[in-house]
Amino acid sequence: MRTVKRKIITILTIAIFLIVTGCSGNGGDIPSDATTVQDFTYTKQNGEAFGLGQLKDKVWVADFIFTNCETVCPPLTANMSKLQQMAKDKGLDVEFVSFSVDPENDTPEGMLAYGEQFGADFESWHFLTGYTQDEIESFAPKSFGAHVQKPDSTDQVIHGLRFYIVNKDGIVISSYNGLENPSYEEMLSDIEKLQ
């Protein structure tokens, strides 16, 4: 009789585990370590004000770049451009936001020219600047858990290389390496589940 009870308890435990873990993926459920994007209003590539208010009730993907970047930003931005095109091909309603990590040098005009180099569709991709270095170095970790630092000894900026998927409530539900072998299909799946 004890053996039967143990088997039943084991089966129930496994079933509960499967039910709980089956509901905890990135497809809309909020991870326990999720961050909420702080309210912001910055300046986008056409000089207009743009902020969290314009992203209300929208799914969006964010990253961090700067136009004078000599290493990681060009491939990072090329990968974001590919993700934008793939999302468009799938008919997904998603916005893209690239925050400058060198805002004191990245003008709206510079951000516009930079986006054009990568074939950005500015209807849904917003390149933001118009804040101080201190502001972005505080905003990035609080909103995305992303590190940003501009050392005094160089014109290059240290920053994260991830793509952050944000739900309609402004909560970051997942992030992916945006530089090396991006998981395009997984990101698109996350975006689709949030629609």
Side-chain angles (χ1 to χ4, degrees), residues 113-174:
Y114 182 80
E116 286 173 341
Q117 290 176 26
F118 295 93
D121 179 350
F122 296 116
E123 284 293 314
S124 61
W125 193 350
H126 317 282
F127 289 78
L128 302 184
T129 188
Y131 36 87
T132 68
Q133 191 66 38
D134 286 343
E135 284 177 297
I136 193 64
E137 290 185 12
S138 174
F139 174 79
K142 288 179 182 173
S143 295
F144 297 93
H147 179 72
V148 173
Q149 181 184 13
K150 186 172 184 180
D152 293 333
S153 58
T154 177
D155 65 352
Q156 296 299 288
V157 183
I158 300 165
H159 62 94
L161 306 174
R162 302 190 72 76
F163 291 164
Y164 300 89
I165 299 176
V166 185
N167 74 10
K168 293 180 179 184
D169 296 318
I171 299 170
V172 180
I173 60 102
S174 59

Side-chain angles (χ1 to χ4, degrees), residues 80-142:
M80 184 74 99
S81 181
K82 181 175 179 179
L83 181 63
Q84 183 185 41
Q85 186 58 54
M86 291 175 75
K88 192 184 299 184
D89 292 345
K90 286 184 78 98
L92 297 176
D93 184 17
V94 58
E95 302 286 310
F96 297 85
V97 179
S98 291
F99 295 93
S100 170
V101 294
D102 190 16
E104 292 167 4
N105 292 304
D106 283 341
T107 63
E109 298 80 14
M111 296 291 272
L112 176 64
Y114 182 80
E116 286 173 341
Q117 290 176 26
F118 295 93
D121 179 350
F122 296 116
E123 284 293 314
S124 61
W125 193 350
H126 317 282
F127 289 78
L128 302 184
T129 188
Y131 36 87
T132 68
Q133 191 66 38
D134 286 343
E135 284 177 297
I136 193 64
E137 290 185 12
S138 174
F139 174 79
K142 288 179 182 173

Side-chain angles (χ1 to χ4, degrees), residues 35 48 73 81 153:
T35 56
E48 292 179 0
C73 298
S81 181
S153 58

